[in-house]
Amino acid sequence: VSTQSTGSSGINAEYGKQWYQRRVRDTMLRLLSLFLLGIALGHSYHIDDWLTKFSAEEGNENKAAEGKIWVVLVAGSNGWYNYRHQSDVCHIYQLLVRNHAIPRTNIVTMMYNDIAYNRDNPTPGTIINALHASDVYEGVMIDYMGEDVNPKVFLDVLAGKYVSKGSRKVVKSTEDDIIFVNFVDHGGPGILAFPSGELHKADLDSTMNQMFEGARYKQMLMYIEACYSGSMFTKMSDKMGITAHTAANADESSYACVMDDDLNTYLGDCWSLNWMNNTETIAPGWNKETVGQQYQIVKKMTTQSHAMLYGDLTTIPNEPLSTFLGTPGEKRWKMEMGEPREMKSIQSQDVMVDWLRRKLAKENNEEAAEELRRQIKFHEDKERHVEKAINAIAEDVLGAVDAVSSLKQVPLVINHAECNKNVMTGFFSACHTRIQEHPYITKYLNTLAKLCNVYSEDHILASVARFCNAN
């Protein structure tokens, strides 16, 4: 079965990129004008002074006790049906810059940027979040967009390595600095998805180990919204000064929330909406609620999946949220609340096909309707194909159907991250499938991942090649 991309992102991503480049150009021209005006008036400002002034215009330069706070925000998807991911990232960007006084220069933002000017957007240039009626897109400085939103760029940004793409901004942290990471997208066992490619647990582990050994941070807090997000951290050491708060455990989906019938898409992710709602509710008292207290609150609020905490469970959970999210700025973002919305939820894995069915129900043109029916059938067939292939692979490796059933009941813990990476990569290639294009396949990948705890990757990959080609 060949792959098929669903959604409309190509032309919109290019248009969004061109529009954004014009906005950056206009901003730089404004800065240059101010700089030249300052010289004309006899002021001896350095250009960096102007950039710093602009980057912190909504607040002061927020610092941890001794070092700086660095932030990495990632919306790892594209396509209109994934609207919620970029909406979540834009929302937290506004909170951090406008309310928490984190300088823009200390925030690295990665998002495909194909939503604000998507052909399906009735109000071009805007992105709304489920908690508010107001636009959360305006003012967001995007450092990496389109194809630059990929695993390698993310890891290089986090580790402070040179990046030749986008704004080239990276986390220039020291042993005194705090790092906050918020990743929002699809995920699988030991995988976080990107528009092109997957970030594997093995590679994230390697980068975090290098950063720890190189004293590149004091503490790091990671908020991860993705299906099976817990699987990225189940074996993480509690000695590295890193805590991960995830939307789901290692064996389950996360959930999309709040369907907007006019936009025909979900506006947010349930867990993300819950932690951002809590953060806004306690404002400006971010120094009075700890990371651990927010975890407990959000865990109770998130009824669809099991919010989890991994890594350092003693020191960071007792830190106030302000350690990672900053303290109140001089100017507060006035957040206008919209009408209360029904928190209807759906497994993130099923959003894409649900979106196609909703489009079909509203479509009056028979030719367009037939194309939607064709796409729906394609994805239904693809899901059955993947489920059948994985069951056949597992039975071949284990030698019995009963053994497969027993394996599925075992909670997932990834003990061999490199095996998991190589087996997943081999499966995606041989079975012509990817999480970003076919998110429903993650329902079955756990079975494949668990085989690495029992058998060698060569043995598993031999079965993958045999049964993917057969099906």
Side-chain angles (χ1 to χ4, degrees):
V1 181
S2 62
T3 60
Q4 175 169 322
S5 177
T6 302
S8 52
S9 58
I11 186 171
N12 300 293
E14 183 59 30
Y15 182 82
K17 187 172 184 178
Q18 292 173 0
W19 173 85
Y20 188 78
Q21 288 171 340
R22 288 197 299 271
R23 191 174 76 173
V24 171
R25 180 198 62 195
D26 293 343
T27 299
M28 295 308 295
L29 287 174
R30 180 162 66 93
L31 283 169
L32 181 59
S33 298
L34 289 171
F35 179 61
L36 293 175
L37 177 61
I39 293 175
L41 295 175
H43 298 303
S44 58
Y45 292 115
H46 189 275
I47 187 65
D48 287 343
D49 296 331
W50 288 100
L51 291 173
T52 300
K53 182 178 184 300
F54 174 76
S55 70
E57 60 187 359
E58 281 94 6
N60 53 20
E61 186 177 355
N62 213 316
K63 294 185 178 182
E66 297 178 353
K68 297 179 179 179
I69 299 176
W70 294 89
V71 177
V72 181
L73 304 177
V74 184
S77 67
N78 59 359
W80 186 254
Y81 67 92
N82 285 320
Y83 183 109
R84 63 196 184 279
H85 298 147
Q86 294 183 44
S87 173
D88 288 341
V89 162
C90 288
H91 186 175
I92 188 58
Y93 183 97
Q94 302 290 359
L95 285 177
L96 294 176
V97 169
R98 300 192 182 193
N99 282 6
H100 298 228
I102 303 292
R104 297 174 191 268
T105 50
N106 285 28
I107 302 176
V108 183
T109 305
M110 303 178 68
M111 54 185 273
Y112 206 83
N113 200 27
D114 63 332
I115 298 300
Y117 285 90
N118 195 290
R119 61 171 62 93
D120 288 330
N121 195 341
T123 55
T126 66
I127 297 178
I128 62 174
N129 189 274
L131 296 180
H132 306 289
S134 55
D135 172 37
V136 291
Y137 182 70
E138 177 62 30
V140 176
M141 302 299 290
I142 307 170
D143 296 287
Y144 302 94
M145 64 183 78
E147 295 304 310
D148 294 343
V149 183
N150 61 63
K152 185 180 186 309
V153 170
F154 167 68
L155 292 178
D156 286 346
V157 163
L158 187 61
K161 296 181 180 179
Y162 173 75
V163 178
S164 62
K165 306 174 184 296
S167 72
R168 302 186 182 182
K169 189 196 297 183
V170 299
V171 175
K172 298 179 180 179
S173 55
T174 70
E175 60 184 358
D176 295 322
D177 293 343
I178 297 295
I179 300 177
F180 174 69
V181 178
N182 182 210
F183 179 95
V184 188
D185 190 21
H186 298 287
I191 297 171
L192 296 177
F194 278 78
S196 55
E198 292 80 27
L199 171 61
H200 293 272
K201 172 178 169 59
D203 298 324
L204 181 60
D205 286 351
S206 177
T207 295
M208 290 193 299
N209 286 330
Q210 290 173 21
M211 292 178 68
F212 175 68
E213 293 170 359
R216 294 303 306 272
Y217 61 91
K218 181 179 180 181
Q219 293 176 320
M220 186 189 307
L221 179 63
M222 309 182 80
Y223 274 28
I224 310 297
E225 171 76 65
C227 297
Y228 310 97
S229 44
S231 65
M232 297 293 290
F233 306 102
T234 51
K235 301 286 287 186
M236 187 165 68
S237 169
D238 61 355
K239 308 298 183 184
M240 296 177 63
I242 303 175
T243 297
H245 184 181
T246 66
N249 64 29
D251 293 289
E252 64 185 354
S253 173
S254 61
Y255 283 72
C257 266
V258 188
M259 163 58 64
D260 187 299
D261 291 326
D262 293 331
L263 296 178
N264 189 33
T265 191
Y266 285 88
L267 299 182
D269 294 280
C270 301
W271 174 82
S272 290
L273 292 177
N274 288 338
W275 81 258
M276 286 189 285
N277 183 38
N278 172 251
T279 301
E280 293 182 17
T281 300
I282 64 174
W286 301 301
N287 61 334
K288 297 179 181 179
E289 182 172 299
T290 67
V291 171
Q293 287 171 334
Q294 180 168 84
Y295 163 67
Q296 293 296 338
I297 292 169
V298 174
K299 184 178 181 180
K300 291 179 181 178
M301 294 173 68
T302 309
T303 59
Q304 302 88 349
S305 59
H306 298 84
M308 302 294 290
L309 209 63
Y310 299 97
D312 173 12
L313 303 181
T314 55
T315 304
I316 291 178
N318 289 317
E319 292 280 356
L321 287 172
S322 57
T323 299
F324 301 92
L325 302 182
T327 54
E330 296 176 0
K331 297 180 181 180
R332 292 283 307 284
W333 180 31
K334 184 179 179 181
M335 295 167 284
E336 299 178 0
M337 299 298 290
E339 292 296 321
R341 296 175 181 268
E342 181 185 358
M343 292 291 282
K344 182 179 180 181
S345 62
I346 182 175
Q347 288 190 21
S348 294
Q349 305 151 314
D350 295 326
V351 168
M352 186 184 71
V353 175
D354 176 74
W355 171 69
L356 289 171
R357 288 171 177 155
R358 286 176 177 274
K359 288 189 69 174
L360 177 60
K362 296 179 179 181
E363 185 56 66
N364 295 320
N365 180 280
E366 182 53 35
E367 184 178 348
E370 181 58 32
E371 171 59 20
L372 288 169
R373 282 190 286 268
R374 187 188 68 80
Q375 289 187 34
I376 292 169
K377 184 178 185 305
F378 169 87
H379 290 294
E380 290 174 340
D381 290 345
K382 170 66 80 171
E383 182 171 352
R384 283 192 292 268
H385 163 73
V386 167
E387 180 182 20
K388 181 180 178 182
I390 288 180
N391 284 334
I393 291 165
E395 183 179 348
D396 184 58
V397 172
L398 296 173
V401 176
D402 291 345
V404 177
S405 298
S406 298
L407 183 70
K408 290 180 179 180
Q409 303 306 313
V410 178
L412 174 65
V413 176
I414 297 178
N415 293 319
H416 305 286
E418 281 294 337
C419 175
N420 187 78
K421 172 185 176 179
N422 294 333
V423 167
M424 291 298 169
T425 301
F427 178 79
F428 296 152
S429 176
C431 276
H432 308 291
T433 187
R434 291 185 58 247
I435 291 177
Q436 199 63 256
E437 295 175 359
H438 319 112
Y440 43 79
I441 69 172
T442 59
K443 301 175 188 177
Y444 314 104
L445 293 178
N446 268 21
T447 300
L448 202 59
K450 293 172 186 176
L451 293 175
C452 277
N453 291 339
V454 186
Y455 292 90
S456 71
E457 66 180 69
D458 290 340
H459 185 42
I460 301 168
L461 286 171
S463 292
V464 166
R466 183 157 56 251
F467 286 96
C468 278
N469 293 332
N471 290 286

